Amino acid sequence: VTCGYTGIVSLENKDSMIRTVVLHSTMRVIPMLDQLRKGLQLYDLPKIMKTHQDLCLPLFVPGEDDEVDAAFLLERSRPVFSEVGSAKHQKEVNIINFLQDYLQEIEDSGIKDVTPEGLTVGRIMQWMTGQRHKPVLPSENKDFVIYMKFNHDCDTQHTVCFPTVSACSRTVTFPSAHLKTYTEFKNILTLAICHEQTFDRV
Ligand SMILES: [Zn+2]
């Protein structure tokens, strides 16, 4: 209604209601873009943008260059370790090392980083955080970290647990009891990432 739709709210009118909302949103953005364009004219930027579209495109649209690599993901990892010297700490360090190997293996695995499962570092990043690209805004980029927690509370009554992800708080929780070797780690993570839709997300 705030968008200017005056018809009857009903399922049959859904299309025209949506059209009103879309139109309203677009109309609001156009003056902003226009203002932006005028501002850019001060620097003759629109002229440059016309003649060098390829150079200017990445300034406005996130592209392939923003796809994350293993180095970026690891650099932004913030493992929440237990006390140094404890048995838990050792398990946690092992898991982070597995993660490092895993990401490196995926990145090195041939054509366009695609493994037999179709995994890429970008896909893993998406699984962990809900986004595949590096944050575009510098302020956002600065604060972009992924928390890694460890769950040591598994009993041995079951055979498998999967890591859980909370995309909102960008936290991954690894079940340490099930990730004792690299092979275990790789299998469980690959399964979790490839079947993310079927697992509950926290
Ligand atoms: Zn378990």
Side-chain angles (χ1 to χ4, degrees):
V1 177
T2 51
C3 300
Y5 178 73
T6 50
I8 299 158
V9 178
S10 74
L11 214 56
E12 293 94 80
N13 290 336
K14 206 176 91 184
D15 281 346
S16 76
M17 282 161 68
I18 290 174
R19 217 174 302 130
T20 312
V21 172
V22 171
L23 192 67
H24 179 76
S25 316
T26 320
M27 292 301 271
R28 275 202 333 194
V29 173
I30 288 172
M32 291 187 212
L33 287 176
D34 205 45
Q35 214 164 23
L36 178 67
R37 203 170 51 86
K38 274 185 193 139
L40 293 175
Q41 255 159 15
L42 289 176
Y43 304 98
D44 255 349
L45 200 57
K47 217 184 280 174
I48 302 170
M49 280 160 68
K50 264 201 186 120
T51 45
H52 299 286
Q53 277 184 5
D54 46 333
L55 285 179
C56 296
L57 189 69
L59 293 176
F60 297 96
V61 185
E64 282 302 301
D65 280 355
D66 300 304
E67 184 96 357
V68 296
D69 51 17
F72 177 84
L73 210 157
L74 288 168
E75 184 196 304
R76 300 310 174 94
S77 297
R78 295 289 179 275
V80 183
F81 286 128
S82 301
E83 204 182 322
V84 180
S86 63
K88 283 180 182 174
H89 182 263
Q90 192 49 54
K91 286 181 197 165
E92 293 162 357
V93 170
N94 287 344
I95 288 172
I96 294 301
N97 286 337
F98 295 155
L99 177 67
Q100 202 165 337
D101 294 346
Y102 183 64
L103 292 173
Q104 205 56 59
E105 191 180 310
I106 286 169
E107 190 161 277
D108 293 344
S109 64
I111 321 152
K112 285 202 163 183
D113 303 344
V114 178
T115 65
E117 293 87 11
L119 275 185
T120 61
V121 174
R123 176 100 186 270
I124 294 172
M125 164 94 165
Q126 181 152 43
W127 171 70
M128 288 179 169
T129 68
Q131 67 181 78
R132 178 180 285 259
H133 296 279
K134 293 177 187 173
V136 180
L137 298 174
S139 58
E140 225 182 300
N141 193 10
K142 193 165 63 71
D143 299 329
F144 189 89
V145 292
I146 306 161
Y147 296 101
M148 316 234 157
K149 293 183 177 171
F150 306 92
N151 171 19
H152 297 288
D153 297 332
C154 270
D155 53 41
T156 48
Q157 301 304 303
H158 55 275
T159 49
V160 72
C161 278
F162 292 96
T164 55
V165 289
S166 166
C168 299
S169 59
R170 287 197 292 268
T171 307
V172 188
T173 307
F174 296 102
S176 66
H178 304 279
L179 304 170
K180 288 197 283 289
T181 65
Y182 180 60
T183 312
E184 274 183 334
F185 182 93
K186 191 175 158 177
N187 289 342
I188 288 180
L189 243 83
T190 304
L191 268 175
I193 296 163
C194 292
H195 300 275
E196 62 173 319
Q197 308 90 323
T198 55
F199 293 110
D200 284 336
R201 293 166 73 92
V202 181

